[in-house]
Amino acid sequence: MRVFIACLMLCLLAGCETHMLTERTIEVVLEEQHPWHEASHRPLWYTLVYTDGKGNLESYHLLPGTKRVKLSVPRGKMTVIAAYPLSSLHPVGGFCHPGGNSIITLAEEQGSLADLLLNSYEQNHEAVENLQGSLLASLAGDASLVDGNALMVSLLNGELSEGTVLPLAMLDVTLCDLPEGYWVPERRVQQAFWSQWGETVELQVEGGIQRWWNRERSLCLTLYSDLVQRRYMSSLAKAPFW
């Protein structure tokens, strides 16, 4: 019996050592308060998504008001992390690098790039894991202002060039016949605005999907813009509940 217990303890210790050699624990911090939280005084729930170092994506549901969560991530590979408000709104993002800080504070400015890398991960996880996410973020800035398709292709092919991270001009948008009320953006860099019946609203927008919430009428304005083709589409629907 003693021999069996000793062997079992050795196996457990060996397993723990292997785990400690290949993974480490980090703390992810959601520091920023979402604009919809500020307008409603109700915290939002989030879906946290991150790369696992094996070509798959892991996800966790974070209850409203959660500010910190601990994750086990691979030691020798970059980990991409994004937290999506209400599971689908524009995320806050961040990057954990080998040997880097064990506390990762997610930021709205890195959300578009993190989302792009997560969408690319399962197609070529090695290309994503060997990137310097923070350096790329400093080069690309807000990835919603670059050609996301060109950037994704160059990243997956390992052919990142300076031309794929050049910022594009924001798009001028004119909206007509919006319901009355105050429209709160999902991102801090976007414009909040008032609308009156019959009036037009002029906005400048980034690329991709953007949303505004009208609390008084429980409506959500969704706008998709293409900065390369210089076009946009908009729609109105019932606002999500949280």
Side-chain angles (χ1 to χ4, degrees):
M1 178 62 72
R2 291 180 179 177
V3 173
F4 172 76
I5 293 174
C7 291
L8 180 60
M9 291 298 295
L10 286 173
C11 290
L12 289 174
L13 289 172
C16 291
E17 183 178 3
T18 302
H19 179 76
M20 291 175 62
L21 289 175
T22 59
E23 296 183 352
R24 65 178 177 132
T25 299
I26 63 170
E27 187 171 33
V28 177
V29 181
L30 282 71
E31 193 173 68
E32 299 176 352
Q33 188 164 285
H34 195 276
W36 293 9
H37 177 184
E38 293 178 347
S40 67
H41 305 293
R42 300 196 310 270
L44 283 66
W45 55 269
Y46 285 74
T47 297
L48 183 75
V49 182
Y50 65 99
T51 56
D52 71 347
K54 303 173 185 177
N56 303 307
L57 299 178
E58 298 286 346
S59 63
Y60 282 104
H61 176 75
L62 303 182
L63 294 175
T66 302
K67 293 296 183 181
R68 295 175 177 268
V69 60
K70 291 188 176 182
L71 301 178
S72 181
V73 300
R75 284 187 178 275
K77 303 174 183 179
M78 182 187 74
T79 301
V80 184
I81 310 164
Y84 296 82
L86 305 185
S87 192
S88 60
L89 300 186
H90 183 276
V92 289
F95 310 98
C96 176
H97 299 101
N101 200 328
S102 60
I103 299 178
I104 310 299
T105 301
L106 304 186
E108 180 184 282
E109 292 78 9
Q110 297 183 344
S112 293
L113 180 59
D115 180 64
L116 181 68
L117 294 178
L118 289 174
N119 288 329
S120 308
Y121 184 68
E122 293 178 319
Q123 299 175 53
N124 189 341
H125 66 93
E126 292 181 349
V128 173
E129 290 165 351
N130 289 309
L131 289 170
Q132 254 287 343
S134 297
L135 176 60
L136 181 58
S138 66
L139 292 173
D142 187 343
S144 63
L145 290 173
V146 302
D147 186 343
N149 290 329
L151 180 57
M152 182 182 295
V153 170
S154 66
L155 290 174
L156 293 178
N157 292 335
E159 301 172 348
L160 184 64
S161 64
E162 188 175 332
T164 58
V165 294
L166 291 177
L168 300 169
M170 296 177 70
L171 186 63
D172 293 322
V173 170
T174 301
L175 301 173
C176 304
D177 300 323
L178 282 176
E180 287 184 317
Y182 186 62
W183 296 84
V184 181
E186 64 176 336
R187 297 186 61 186
R188 296 181 180 278
V189 296
Q190 294 169 335
Q191 301 166 256
F193 62 90
W194 287 94
S195 64
Q196 302 290 336
W197 286 110
E199 293 185 354
T200 60
V201 175
E202 306 286 341
L203 298 174
Q204 277 196 324
V205 299
E206 300 83 12
I209 296 176
Q210 295 140 93
R211 303 170 185 85
W212 285 260
W213 173 54
N214 184 323
R215 178 183 179 183
E216 292 78 14
R217 297 183 178 275
S218 297
L219 291 174
C220 182
L221 167 67
T222 301
L223 191 147
Y224 171 77
S225 60
D226 187 329
L227 299 186
V228 177
Q229 300 294 326
R230 312 306 293 175
R231 61 187 181 186
Y232 65 91
M233 296 181 294
S234 62
S235 65
L236 277 175
K238 294 294 291 182
F241 294 99
W242 71 90

